[in-house]
Amino acid sequence: MSVAFLFPGQGAQYAGMLHDIKNKWGLATTFEEASEVLNQDVLSLDSSEKLKYNKNVQICLFIAGVAAARSFKNKGYSPDVVGGHSIGAFGAAVASEVLSFKEALLLVKKRGKLMENAYPDGYGMGVVMGLREHQLLSIVNELSTDAAPVYVANLNSPDQITISGTLKAIEKVLEKASKKGARKTKMLHVTVPSHCPLMEGVSSELRKTITEVQGKDPSVPFIGNCKARKLWKAADIKEDLAASVALPVRWHDTTEVMYEMGTRLYIEMAPGRVLTDLAAKSFPEARAISAAESTMKTLLILMEKEKM
């Protein structure tokens, strides 16, 4: 296996992202289909004002990723393996034919709404670069309290790790991490405490809905968020989608599994390049490229070379 499609999570969004994708690849049908499912014009959701809301961010990222993947499919090209970071996993589920576009879109909408309602303000996420997991975990355990909890969340690379919880506690952890040698710390543009125990209620509610969706076994290997393992059954993938919101995303392990499977070309679906940078740093012998920043002609040439 040689080509992996990566679907980005929150942080990749920007104002006008859906318009850019539509203009670049002319994929009107995806946006029309999404608008019909949601009974609203989805192109109205990517403004700066609308992207302040978690639900809209998740919907836009999902639509963007699927639209990009469909552009390859329309040209007769498909990935050998797929994976998505957090909300991106729903795009990966569509690309691997586990869920239909409509099924996944309605789940994404519910996921975003549940997360917003659970934690409307005072919570979020931050990122620490330059410390290992055990170093950051020591700081988090020291500073987290019942009144102001904070948790280690996503393991994006061995030394790029996100934290999740109350804004007050996150700020304290970021400050101490800097003093302990982190090369960079910052708050993320995420308004809810994703991928930590605070989201267990959301995970339970999402599970109730997703179990009602039949789904299909994947057409290509799907690498899950929670355990970073190949998942071959629809039931296992649906469980991973439901559980992930309350558990850390083991993203580095996910891309490492892909590499061990033979992946030598990572293509990040629109609109991001964060996953591109992570893959390029972790696997210098492979090629990592952002679909949003490349021409379709270039991307197809690279895929042809890898599949030869």
Side-chain angles (χ1 to χ4, degrees):
M1 297 184 180
S2 57
V3 180
F5 280 7
L6 311 179
F7 293 78
Q10 285 183 246
Q13 73 272 10
Y14 65 89
M17 53 187 276
L18 295 185
H19 288 78
D20 285 351
I21 295 165
K22 183 181 178 183
N23 292 337
K24 180 176 181 178
W25 289 320
L27 298 168
T29 54
T30 297
F31 301 97
E32 291 168 359
E33 184 181 352
S35 297
E36 183 177 346
V37 171
L38 298 180
N39 195 30
Q40 66 180 129
D41 181 8
V42 297
L43 290 172
S44 70
L45 299 179
D46 70 350
S47 67
S48 296
E49 185 62 30
K50 291 293 181 67
L51 289 177
K52 291 178 181 178
Y53 298 94
N54 187 270
K55 180 182 72 175
N56 294 335
V57 170
Q58 295 192 38
I59 289 172
C60 287
L61 287 171
F62 168 75
I63 293 172
V66 171
R70 282 179 167 181
S71 69
F72 286 95
K73 186 174 183 179
N74 290 344
K75 298 287 186 179
Y77 292 81
S78 59
D80 298 303
V81 60
V82 298
H85 191 292
S86 187
I87 189 62
F90 286 83
V94 173
S96 60
E97 301 181 315
V98 175
L99 300 176
S100 70
F101 179 69
K102 179 179 180 179
E103 289 169 338
L105 180 55
L106 291 174
L107 287 168
V108 166
K109 178 182 178 181
K110 180 160 189 174
R111 183 182 190 267
K113 186 175 181 180
L114 286 170
M115 293 170 76
E116 275 187 0
N117 291 345
Y119 296 97
D121 55 63
Y123 293 80
M125 299 184 74
V127 64
V128 175
M129 304 177 194
L131 295 183
R132 295 285 172 160
E133 182 181 2
H134 72 277
Q135 295 173 301
L136 183 56
L137 187 59
S138 176
I139 297 172
V140 166
N141 289 340
E142 177 187 343
L143 297 178
S144 182
T145 65
D146 291 341
V150 61
Y151 302 87
V152 168
N154 302 331
L155 307 171
N156 294 329
S157 77
D159 68 347
Q160 181 177 322
I161 303 169
T162 66
I163 55 176
S164 190
T166 61
L167 296 178
K168 180 180 179 181
I170 291 172
E171 289 170 356
K172 290 182 178 179
V173 171
L174 296 183
E175 181 180 358
K176 185 149 190 176
S178 294
K179 294 178 180 178
K180 290 290 186 177
R183 67 175 181 273
K184 185 176 182 179
T185 65
K186 67 176 182 178
M187 298 295 297
L188 295 176
H189 296 298
V190 180
T191 57
V192 293
S194 299
H195 304 293
C196 76
L198 294 173
M199 283 292 172
E200 287 177 353
V202 171
S203 178
S204 295
E205 287 298 314
L206 187 61
R207 185 177 288 106
K208 293 177 184 177
T209 302
I210 203 168
T211 52
E212 297 174 358
V213 178
Q214 183 174 359
K216 297 191 299 183
D217 292 342
S219 56
V220 297
F222 177 105
I223 313 300
N225 275 196
C226 301
K227 296 182 180 179
R229 293 291 181 267
K230 287 183 290 184
L231 301 177
W232 287 101
K233 297 295 183 181
D236 294 332
I237 293 171
K238 291 191 298 177
E239 172 57 25
D240 191 81
L241 293 173
S244 173
V245 70
L247 294 172
V249 174
R250 306 194 69 84
W251 185 251
H252 176 72
D253 293 345
T254 294
T255 51
E256 188 170 47
V257 167
M258 292 176 175
Y259 188 84
E260 291 171 353
M261 292 169 63
T263 294
R264 293 300 180 266
L265 175 61
Y266 297 87
I267 301 179
E268 182 175 0
M269 298 297 101
R273 73 157 295 111
V274 172
L275 305 184
T276 303
D277 292 340
L278 289 171
K281 180 181 177 182
S282 296
F283 312 104
E285 294 181 358
R287 182 79 178 264
I289 191 165
S290 165
E293 298 179 0
S294 306
T295 66
M296 180 56 69
K297 181 178 180 180
T298 297
L299 293 166
L300 295 182
I301 289 173
L302 291 171
M303 289 188 72
E304 285 279 8
K305 289 181 178 179
E306 288 299 324
K307 289 178 176 291
M308 289 177 61

